[in-house]
Amino acid sequence: MSELYPSSDFDAWAASYDQDVLGQAFPFTGYEQALDLVVQLAGTSPHMRVLDLGTGTGNLAQRFAALGCSLWCTDFS
């Protein structure tokens, strides 16, 4: 049985992903604000343990790490 979304499908995009999402073009309008809101709504504090599933290039994880959180991150690609 083949995978519906093989991890290799994302390999080519990985190198430019951050530039693409930070460009704020549709569908990524508000990307940075969305990440900031997640951190805010989580009630983040130092030493908080965070599980980041689908961490990608780590943009959300970096925000938690900067605030002193302990991270467990994974991504299928």
Side-chain angles (χ1 to χ4, degrees):
M1 186 169 120
S2 66
E3 292 181 58
L4 183 59
Y5 301 106
S7 59
S8 59
D9 284 358
F10 297 95
D11 292 346
W13 191 17
S16 66
Y17 178 83
D18 288 333
Q19 280 184 302
D20 293 345
V21 299
L22 296 177
Q24 297 295 310
F26 181 81
F28 300 111
T29 304
Y31 177 80
E32 291 284 322
Q33 295 85 349
L35 297 180
D36 291 339
L37 184 60
V38 169
V39 172
Q40 177 188 349
L41 292 174
T44 307
S45 62
H47 308 294
M48 181 177 172
R49 293 181 292 175
V50 176
L51 173 62
D52 186 356
L53 300 174
T55 197
T57 59
N59 293 325
L60 180 60
Q62 289 174 358
R63 284 169 163 72
F64 282 109
L67 295 171
C69 297
S70 298
L71 298 160
W72 185 268
C73 303
T74 187
D75 193 283
F76 81 98
S77 63

